[in-house]
Amino acid sequence: MTGTIGTTPNQTRRAALIRRASWLAWFTVVWNIGEGWVALVAAASAESQALVGFGVDSFVESAAAAVVIWRLRAEQRAPERAETVERQALRIIAVTFFVLAAMVGLESVRSLVAGEQPDASFLGIALTATSLAVMPVLARAKRSVGRSLGARSVEADSRQTQACVYLSFVVLVGLVFNAAFGWWWADPVAALGVVAFLVREGIETRRAEHVGDCC
């Protein structure tokens, strides 16, 4: 029988947290799809590898958030499968970190070797500055609800959003230096700067998947 009869306060609170986590994940999907397309338009106009990496990162973040939505819906339908789905979600999110790191790294190295000189991108500067304002708030909200739920996948997703904060900052710096001083190499170097963050977060997410195995 459905409804609230027999529902405990803890169950009611958890259901509210799941709804909040789902809303944050949906916001992430919609925001990052829009952000990704704007970034790729700006990248094509300026021939900026940093903005290509930023745009691809946005789509990867959307995919990771979609995995979180799947995990939360699975718990709502079958709470007894929550731990199994949690591990699967963590595994997928970890893979997205590594895929993104490889893509950004390879494109940045190729751009440096080829000596590609991107044009100034004021659209890219505006986009990354906006992301730098929005993403820290979103990351904190996800981390808070993830910890309250005890959902490691939601926390992992918050770390990916935090990685976007770092990416936004280094790409913004690279774009500003290129626009102000003509330092074309700052663009791909800025993109390379976030690769270490992505690899680290991928490793941490893989470790989170195995938390509790020996307990």
Side-chain angles (χ1 to χ4, degrees):
M1 181 177 179
T2 59
T4 59
I5 297 175
T7 302
T8 67
N10 284 342
Q11 289 173 325
T12 300
R13 179 173 180 274
R14 185 168 184 83
L17 287 169
I18 289 175
R19 287 194 297 272
R20 177 172 172 76
S22 297
W23 185 89
L24 291 170
W26 274 112
F27 177 84
T28 301
V29 170
V30 174
W31 176 277
N32 280 286
I33 287 175
E35 182 181 76
W37 281 114
V38 174
L40 292 181
V41 168
S45 175
E47 298 184 348
S48 167
Q49 291 305 313
L51 281 172
V52 170
F54 186 80
V56 173
D57 170 74
S58 297
F59 293 124
V60 171
E61 279 195 68
S62 293
V67 170
V68 171
I69 293 169
W70 164 67
R71 176 257 183 265
L72 293 170
R73 285 187 171 178
E75 178 174 345
Q76 288 176 318
R77 291 193 300 267
E80 69 280 0
R81 295 191 64 246
E83 182 61 28
T84 299
V85 176
E86 176 85 346
R87 288 174 182 268
Q88 293 172 342
L90 284 166
R91 192 175 303 121
I92 295 170
I93 292 172
V95 169
T96 66
F97 275 117
F98 295 129
V99 169
L100 178 60
M103 292 178 66
V104 173
L106 288 173
E107 280 301 308
S108 299
V109 169
R110 186 191 63 78
S111 181
L112 279 171
V113 171
E116 296 176 352
Q117 300 185 21
D119 297 326
S121 176
F122 296 103
L123 175 59
I125 290 172
L127 177 66
T128 51
T130 301
S131 178
L132 199 55
V134 173
M135 290 297 107
V137 178
L138 182 59
R140 286 195 297 271
K142 287 181 178 181
R143 183 165 58 250
S144 176
V145 74
R147 288 174 177 173
S148 297
L149 276 170
R152 300 189 301 278
S153 57
V154 178
E155 289 191 68
D157 187 45
S158 77
R159 290 196 297 272
Q160 189 160 78
T161 302
Q162 187 62 43
C164 182
V165 176
Y166 302 139
L167 180 60
S168 298
F169 177 75
V170 296
V171 172
L172 176 59
V173 169
L175 293 173
V176 169
F177 281 178
N178 184 42
F181 308 111
W183 294 355
W184 67 268
W185 49 263
D187 184 274
V189 168
L192 276 174
V194 81
V195 170
F197 289 112
L198 295 169
V199 172
R200 185 194 67 183
E201 294 305 333
I203 292 170
E204 289 300 315
T205 301
R206 285 290 292 166
R207 287 175 179 169
E209 179 191 342
H210 299 290
V211 169
D213 282 354
C214 299
C215 302

